[in-house]
Coordinates of all heavy atoms in Angstrom, one line a residue:
R1 N 0.8 -1.2 0.0 CA 0.0 0.0 0.0 C 0.9 1.2 0.0 O 1.7 1.4 0.9 CB -0.9 -0.1 1.2 CG -1.7 1.1 1.4 CD -2.6 0.9 2.6 NE -3.2 2.2 3.1 CZ -3.8 2.4 4.1 NH1 -4.1 1.4 5.0 NH2 -4.3 3.5 4.5
Q2 N 0.7 2.1 -1.0 CA 1.5 3.3 -1.0 C 0.7 4.5 -0.4 O -0.5 4.6 -0.7 CB 1.8 3.7 -2.5 CG 2.8 2.7 -3.1 CD 3.1 3.1 -4.5 OE1 2.5 3.9 -5.1 NE2 4.2 2.5 -5.0
L3 N 1.4 5.2 0.4 CA 0.8 6.4 1.1 C 1.5 7.6 0.7 O 2.7 7.7 0.6 CB 0.8 6.2 2.6 CG 0.1 5.0 3.2 CD1 0.5 4.9 4.7 CD2 -1.4 5.2 3.0
F4 N 0.7 8.7 0.4 CA 1.3 10.0 0.0 C 0.6 11.1 0.8 O -0.6 10.9 1.1 CB 1.1 10.2 -1.5 CG 1.7 9.2 -2.4 CD1 1.0 8.1 -2.8 CD2 3.1 9.4 -2.7 CE1 1.6 7.2 -3.7 CE2 3.7 8.4 -3.6 CZ 3.0 7.4 -4.0
G5 N 1.3 12.1 1.1 CA 0.7 13.3 1.7 C 1.8 14.2 2.3 O 3.0 13.9 2.2
M6 N 1.3 15.3 2.9 CA 2.2 16.2 3.5 C 1.7 16.5 4.9 O 0.5 16.7 5.1 CB 2.2 17.5 2.7 CG 2.8 17.4 1.3 SD 3.0 19.0 0.5 CE 1.4 19.6 0.5
V7 N 2.6 16.5 5.9 CA 2.3 16.8 7.2 C 3.2 18.0 7.7 O 4.4 17.9 7.4 CB 2.3 15.6 8.2 CG1 3.7 15.0 8.2 CG2 1.9 16.0 9.6
Q8 N 2.6 18.9 8.4 CA 3.4 20.0 8.9 C 3.6 19.9 10.4 O 2.6 19.7 11.1 CB 2.7 21.4 8.6 CG 3.6 22.6 9.0 CD 2.9 23.9 8.7 OE1 1.9 24.2 9.4 NE2 3.3 24.6 7.7
L9 N 4.9 19.9 10.8 CA 5.2 19.7 12.2 C 5.8 21.0 12.8 O 6.4 21.7 12.1 CB 6.2 18.6 12.5 CG 5.8 17.2 12.1 CD1 6.9 16.2 12.4 CD2 4.5 16.7 12.7
V10 N 5.5 21.2 14.1 CA 6.1 22.3 14.8 C 7.0 21.6 15.8 O 6.5 20.8 16.7 CB 5.1 23.2 15.5 CG1 5.8 24.3 16.3 CG2 4.1 23.8 14.5
V11 N 8.3 21.9 15.7 CA 9.3 21.2 16.6 C 9.9 22.3 17.5 O 10.4 23.3 16.9 CB 10.4 20.5 15.8 CG1 11.4 19.8 16.7 CG2 9.7 19.5 14.8
V12 N 9.9 22.1 18.8 CA 10.5 23.0 19.7 C 11.8 22.4 20.2 O 11.8 21.3 20.8 CB 9.5 23.3 20.9 CG1 10.2 24.3 21.9 CG2 8.2 23.9 20.4
I13 N 12.9 23.1 20.0 CA 14.2 22.7 20.4 C 14.8 23.6 21.4 O 14.7 24.8 21.2 CB 15.2 22.6 19.1 CG1 14.6 21.7 18.1 CG2 16.6 22.2 19.5 CD1 15.3 21.6 16.8
V14 N 15.3 23.0 22.5 CA 15.9 23.9 23.5 C 17.4 24.0 23.3 O 18.0 23.3 22.4 CB 15.6 23.3 24.9 CG1 14.1 23.4 25.2 CG2 16.1 21.9 25.1
S15 N 18.1 24.9 24.1 CA 19.5 25.3 23.8 C 20.5 24.1 23.8 O 21.5 24.3 23.1 CB 19.9 26.3 24.8 OG 19.9 25.9 26.1
N16 N 20.2 23.0 24.4 CA 21.2 21.9 24.4 C 20.9 21.0 23.2 O 21.5 19.9 23.1 CB 21.2 21.1 25.7 CG 19.9 20.3 25.9 OD1 18.9 20.4 25.1 ND2 19.8 19.6 27.0
S17 N 20.0 21.4 22.3 CA 19.6 20.7 21.1 C 18.6 19.6 21.3 O 18.3 18.9 20.3 CB 20.8 20.3 20.2 OG 21.3 19.0 20.7
S18 N 18.1 19.4 22.4 CA 17.1 18.3 22.6 C 15.7 18.9 22.2 O 15.4 20.0 22.3 CB 17.1 17.8 24.1 OG 16.7 18.8 25.0
V19 N 14.8 17.9 21.8 CA 13.5 18.3 21.4 C 12.6 18.4 22.6 O 12.4 17.4 23.4 CB 12.9 17.3 20.4 CG1 11.5 17.6 20.1 CG2 13.8 17.2 19.2
R20 N 12.0 19.5 22.9 CA 11.1 19.7 24.0 C 9.7 19.2 23.6 O 9.0 18.6 24.4 CB 11.0 21.2 24.4 CG 10.0 21.4 25.5 CD 10.0 22.8 26.0 NE 11.2 23.0 26.9 CZ 11.6 24.1 27.3 NH1 11.0 25.2 27.0 NH2 12.7 24.2 28.1
K21 N 9.3 19.5 22.4 CA 7.9 19.2 22.0 C 7.8 19.1 20.5 O 8.5 19.8 19.8 CB 7.0 20.4 22.5 CG 5.5 20.2 22.1 CD 4.7 21.4 22.7 CE 3.3 21.2 22.3 NZ 2.5 22.4 22.7
T22 N 7.0 18.2 20.0 CA 6.7 18.0 18.6 C 5.1 18.0 18.5 O 4.5 17.2 19.2 CB 7.2 16.7 18.0 OG1 8.7 16.7 18.2 CG2 7.0 16.6 16.5
S23 N 4.6 18.9 17.7 CA 3.1 18.9 17.5 C 2.8 19.0 16.0 O 3.6 19.4 15.2 CB 2.5 20.0 18.3 OG 3.0 21.3 17.8
I24 N 1.7 18.5 15.6 CA 1.2 18.5 14.2 C 0.5 19.8 14.0 O -0.5 20.1 14.6 CB 0.3 17.3 13.9 CG1 1.1 16.0 14.1 CG2 -0.2 17.4 12.5 CD1 0.3 14.8 14.0
G25 N 1.0 20.6 13.0 CA 0.4 21.9 12.7 C -0.7 21.7 11.6 O -1.7 22.3 11.6
S26 N -0.4 20.8 10.7 CA -1.3 20.5 9.6 C -1.2 19.0 9.3 O -0.1 18.5 9.0 CB -1.0 21.3 8.4 OG -1.8 21.0 7.3
R27 N -2.3 18.3 9.4 CA -2.3 16.9 9.2 C -2.3 16.5 7.7 O -2.8 17.3 6.9 CB -3.5 16.2 9.8 CG -3.5 16.4 11.3 CD -4.6 15.7 12.0 NE -4.5 15.9 13.5 CZ -3.7 15.2 14.3 NH1 -3.0 14.2 13.8 NH2 -3.7 15.4 15.6
S28 N -1.8 15.3 7.4 CA -1.7 14.8 6.0 C -3.0 14.2 5.5 O -3.2 14.0 4.3 CB -0.6 13.8 5.9 OG -1.0 12.6 6.6
G29 N -3.9 13.8 6.4 CA -5.1 13.0 6.1 C -4.8 11.5 6.3 O -5.8 10.8 6.2
S30 N -3.6 11.2 6.7 CA -3.3 9.8 7.0 C -2.6 9.7 8.4 O -1.6 10.3 8.6 CB -2.3 9.2 5.9 OG -1.8 8.0 6.4
R31 N -3.3 9.1 9.3 CA -2.8 8.9 10.6 C -1.4 8.3 10.6 O -0.5 8.6 11.4 CB -3.7 8.2 11.5 CG -3.4 8.2 13.0 CD -4.4 7.4 13.7 NE -4.5 6.1 13.3 CZ -4.4 5.0 14.0 NH1 -4.2 5.2 15.3 NH2 -4.4 3.8 13.6
I32 N -1.2 7.3 9.7 CA 0.1 6.6 9.6 C 1.2 7.5 9.2 O 2.3 7.5 9.8 CB 0.0 5.4 8.6 CG1 -1.0 4.4 9.2 CG2 1.3 4.8 8.3 CD1 -1.4 3.3 8.2
L33 N 1.0 8.4 8.2 CA 2.0 9.3 7.8 C 2.3 10.4 8.9 O 3.4 10.7 9.1 CB 1.6 10.0 6.5 CG 1.5 9.2 5.3 CD1 1.0 10.0 4.1 CD2 2.9 8.7 4.9
D34 N 1.2 10.9 9.5 CA 1.4 11.8 10.6 C 2.3 11.3 11.7 O 3.2 11.9 12.2 CB 0.1 12.3 11.2 CG -0.8 13.0 10.2 OD1 -0.3 13.4 9.1 OD2 -2.0 13.3 10.5
Q35 N 2.0 10.0 12.1 CA 2.7 9.4 13.2 C 4.2 9.1 12.8 O 5.1 9.3 13.6 CB 2.1 8.1 13.6 CG 0.8 8.3 14.4 CD 0.0 7.0 14.7 OE1 0.4 6.0 14.1 NE2 -0.9 7.1 15.5
A36 N 4.4 8.8 11.5 CA 5.7 8.5 11.0 C 6.6 9.8 11.0 O 7.8 9.8 11.4 CB 5.7 7.9 9.6
A37 N 6.0 10.9 10.7 CA 6.7 12.2 10.7 C 7.1 12.5 12.1 O 8.3 12.9 12.4 CB 5.8 13.3 10.1
V38 N 6.2 12.4 13.1 CA 6.5 12.7 14.5 C 7.6 11.7 15.0 O 8.6 12.2 15.6 CB 5.3 12.6 15.4 CG1 5.6 12.7 16.9 CG2 4.3 13.7 15.0
R39 N 7.5 10.5 14.7 CA 8.6 9.5 15.1 C 9.9 9.9 14.5 O 11.0 9.7 15.1 CB 8.2 8.1 14.6 CG 7.4 7.4 15.7 CD 7.3 5.9 15.4 NE 7.0 5.6 14.0 CZ 5.7 5.4 13.5 NH1 4.7 5.6 14.3 NH2 5.6 5.1 12.2
S40 N 9.9 10.4 13.2 CA 11.2 10.7 12.6 C 11.9 11.8 13.3 O 13.2 11.8 13.4 CB 11.0 11.1 11.1 OG 10.4 12.4 11.0
V41 N 11.2 12.7 13.9 CA 11.8 13.8 14.7 C 12.4 13.2 16.0 O 13.5 13.5 16.4 CB 10.8 14.9 15.0 CG1 11.4 15.9 16.0 CG2 10.4 15.6 13.7
R42 N 11.6 12.3 16.7 CA 12.0 11.7 17.9 C 13.3 10.9 17.7 O 14.2 10.9 18.6 CB 11.0 10.8 18.5 CG 9.8 11.5 19.1 CD 8.9 10.6 19.7 NE 7.6 11.2 20.0 CZ 6.4 10.7 19.9 NH1 6.3 9.4 19.5 NH2 5.3 11.3 20.2
H43 N 13.5 10.3 16.6 CA 14.6 9.4 16.4 C 15.8 10.1 15.7 O 16.8 9.5 15.5 CB 14.2 8.2 15.6 CG 13.2 7.3 16.3 ND1 13.4 6.8 17.6 CD2 12.0 6.9 15.9 CE1 12.4 6.1 17.9 NE2 11.5 6.2 17.0
A44 N 15.6 11.3 15.3 CA 16.7 12.0 14.5 C 17.8 12.4 15.5 O 17.6 12.8 16.6 CB 16.1 13.2 13.8
S45 N 19.0 12.5 14.9 CA 20.1 13.1 15.6 C 20.0 14.6 15.3 O 20.1 14.9 14.1 CB 21.4 12.5 15.1 OG 21.5 11.2 15.3
L46 N 19.9 15.3 16.3 CA 19.8 16.8 16.1 C 21.1 17.4 16.1 O 22.2 16.8 16.1 CB 18.8 17.4 17.1 CG 17.4 16.9 16.8 CD1 16.5 17.6 17.9 CD2 16.9 17.3 15.5
L47 N 21.1 18.7 16.1 CA 22.3 19.5 16.0 C 23.1 19.6 17.3 O 22.6 19.1 18.4 CB 21.9 20.9 15.6 CG 21.0 21.0 14.4 CD1 20.5 22.4 14.2 CD2 21.8 20.6 13.1
R48 N 24.2 20.3 17.3 CA 24.9 20.6 18.5 C 24.2 21.6 19.3 O 23.2 22.2 18.8 CB 26.3 21.1 18.1 CG 27.2 20.1 17.4 CD 28.5 20.7 17.1 NE 29.3 19.8 16.3 CZ 29.8 20.2 15.1 NH1 29.7 21.4 14.7 NH2 30.4 19.3 14.4
A49 N 24.7 21.9 20.5 CA 24.1 22.9 21.3 C 24.0 24.3 20.5 O 24.8 24.5 19.6 CB 24.9 23.1 22.6
F50 N 23.1 25.1 20.9 CA 23.0 26.4 20.2 C 24.4 27.1 20.1 O 25.1 27.1 21.1 CB 22.0 27.3 20.9 CG 20.6 26.9 20.8 CD1 20.2 25.8 20.1 CD2 19.6 27.7 21.4 CE1 18.8 25.5 20.0 CE2 18.3 27.4 21.4 CZ 17.9 26.3 20.7
P51 N 24.6 27.8 19.1 CA 25.9 28.6 19.0 C 25.7 29.8 20.0 O 24.6 30.2 20.4 CB 25.9 29.1 17.6 CG 24.5 29.0 17.0 CD 23.9 27.9 17.8
P52 N 26.9 30.4 20.3 CA 26.8 31.5 21.4 C 25.8 32.6 21.1 O 25.2 33.1 22.0 CB 28.3 32.0 21.3 CG 29.1 30.9 20.8 CD 28.2 30.1 19.9
E53 N 25.7 33.0 19.8 CA 24.7 34.1 19.5 C 23.3 33.7 19.7 O 22.4 34.6 19.7 CB 25.0 34.6 18.1 CG 24.7 33.6 17.0 CD 26.0 32.8 16.6 OE1 26.9 32.8 17.3 OE2 25.9 32.1 15.5
L54 N 23.0 32.4 19.9 CA 21.6 32.0 20.1 C 21.3 31.6 21.5 O 20.2 31.3 21.9 CB 21.2 30.9 19.1 CG 21.1 31.3 17.7 CD1 20.7 30.0 16.8 CD2 20.1 32.4 17.4
R55 N 22.3 31.5 22.3 CA 22.2 30.9 23.7 C 21.3 31.7 24.6 O 20.9 31.2 25.7 CB 23.5 30.6 24.3 CG 24.2 29.5 23.6 CD 25.3 28.9 24.3 NE 25.9 27.8 23.5 CZ 27.2 27.6 23.2 NH1 28.0 28.4 23.8 NH2 27.6 26.7 22.4
D56 N 21.0 33.0 24.3 CA 20.1 33.7 25.1 C 18.7 33.3 24.9 O 17.8 33.7 25.7 CB 20.2 35.2 24.8 CG 21.6 35.8 25.3 OD1 22.2 35.2 26.2 OD2 21.9 36.9 24.8
N57 N 18.4 32.5 23.9 CA 17.1 32.0 23.6 C 16.8 30.7 24.4 O 17.7 29.9 24.4 CB 16.9 31.7 22.1 CG 17.1 33.0 21.3 OD1 16.4 34.0 21.5 ND2 18.0 33.0 20.3
D58 N 15.7 30.6 25.0 CA 15.3 29.4 25.7 C 15.0 28.3 24.7 O 15.4 27.1 25.0 CB 14.1 29.6 26.6 CG 14.4 30.6 27.7 OD1 15.5 30.7 28.1 OD2 13.4 31.2 28.2
E59 N 14.4 28.6 23.6 CA 14.0 27.5 22.7 C 13.8 28.1 21.3 O 13.7 29.3 21.1 CB 12.8 26.9 23.1 CG 11.6 27.8 23.3 CD 10.4 27.1 24.0 OE1 10.6 26.2 24.8 OE2 9.3 27.6 23.6
I60 N 13.9 27.3 20.3 CA 13.6 27.7 18.9 C 12.5 26.8 18.4 O 12.5 25.6 18.6 CB 14.9 27.4 18.0 CG1 16.0 28.4 18.4 CG2 14.6 27.6 16.6 CD1 17.3 28.2 17.7
H61 N 11.6 27.4 17.7 CA 10.4 26.7 17.1 C 10.7 26.6 15.6 O 10.9 27.6 14.9 CB 9.1 27.5 17.3 CG 8.7 27.6 18.7 ND1 7.5 27.1 19.2 CD2 9.4 28.0 19.8 CE1 7.4 27.3 20.5 NE2 8.5 27.9 20.9
I62 N 10.7 25.3 15.1 CA 10.9 25.1 13.7 C 9.6 24.5 13.1 O 9.0 23.6 13.7 CB 12.0 24.1 13.5 CG1 13.3 24.6 14.0 CG2 12.1 23.7 12.0 CD1 14.5 23.7 14.1
I63 N 9.1 25.1 12.1 CA 7.9 24.7 11.4 C 8.3 24.1 10.0 O 9.0 24.9 9.2 CB 6.9 25.8 11.2 CG1 6.5 26.3 12.6 CG2 5.7 25.3 10.5 CD1 5.7 27.6 12.5
R64 N 8.0 22.9 9.8 CA 8.5 22.2 8.5 C 7.4 21.3 8.0 O 6.7 20.7 8.8 CB 9.8 21.5 8.8 CG 10.4 20.9 7.5 CD 11.7 20.3 7.7 NE 12.5 19.9 6.5 CZ 12.1 19.2 5.6 NH1 10.9 18.7 5.5 NH2 12.9 18.9 4.6
T65 N 7.4 21.2 6.7 CA 6.4 20.3 6.1 C 7.2 19.0 5.6 O 8.2 19.1 4.9 CB 5.7 20.9 4.9 OG1 5.0 22.1 5.3 CG2 4.7 20.0 4.2
W66 N 6.7 17.9 6.0 CA 7.3 16.6 5.6 C 6.4 16.1 4.4 O 5.2 16.2 4.5 CB 7.2 15.6 6.8 CG 8.3 15.5 7.7 CD1 9.2 14.5 7.8 CD2 8.7 16.5 8.7 NE1 10.1 14.9 8.8 CE2 9.8 16.1 9.3 CE3 8.1 17.8 9.0 CZ2 10.4 16.8 10.4 CZ3 8.7 18.5 10.0 CH2 9.9 18.0 10.7
R67 N 7.1 15.6 3.4 CA 6.4 15.1 2.2 C 6.7 13.6 2.0 O 7.8 13.2 2.3 CB 6.8 15.8 1.0 CG 6.4 17.3 1.1 CD 7.0 18.0 -0.1 NE 6.8 19.4 0.1 CZ 6.4 20.3 -0.8 NH1 6.2 19.9 -2.0 NH2 6.2 21.5 -0.5

């Protein structure tokens, strides 16, 4: 079974680069695809700690569409 769609996630990253929260901003219409996108964020290796110029920020919100 082939599934297609786009899901928009909002990912909140804190200064040590860990994910504080992942939420669905726009659903794909497929629960399976939505869950797979959220899981991909949980299992991803993220970046290093924030660079010095961003360390005054508690967190960064990233909005991205998965296809």
Side-chain angles (χ1 to χ4, degrees):
R1 176 177 163 188
Q2 293 184 344
L3 298 173
F4 298 94
M6 295 187 302
V7 58
Q8 185 181 73
L9 298 182
V10 179
V11 181
V12 179
I13 301 173
V14 294
S15 62
N16 69 357
S17 81
S18 63
V19 175
R20 175 175 286 169
K21 180 180 178 183
T22 303
S23 59
I24 298 174
S26 177
R27 297 187 180 276
S28 68
S30 168
R31 188 176 61 122
I32 293 170
L33 289 177
D34 295 348
Q35 290 174 347
V38 170
R39 273 194 312 273
S40 73
V41 170
R42 286 188 193 139
H43 297 305
S45 297
L46 292 179
L47 308 171
R48 296 182 187 125
F50 288 0
E53 61 270 15
L54 293 179
R55 288 196 183 134
D56 289 340
N57 297 305
D58 292 336
E59 59 190 30
I60 293 177
H61 294 235
I62 298 172
I63 301 170
R64 185 172 190 306
T65 300
W66 273 249
R67 298 175 188 219

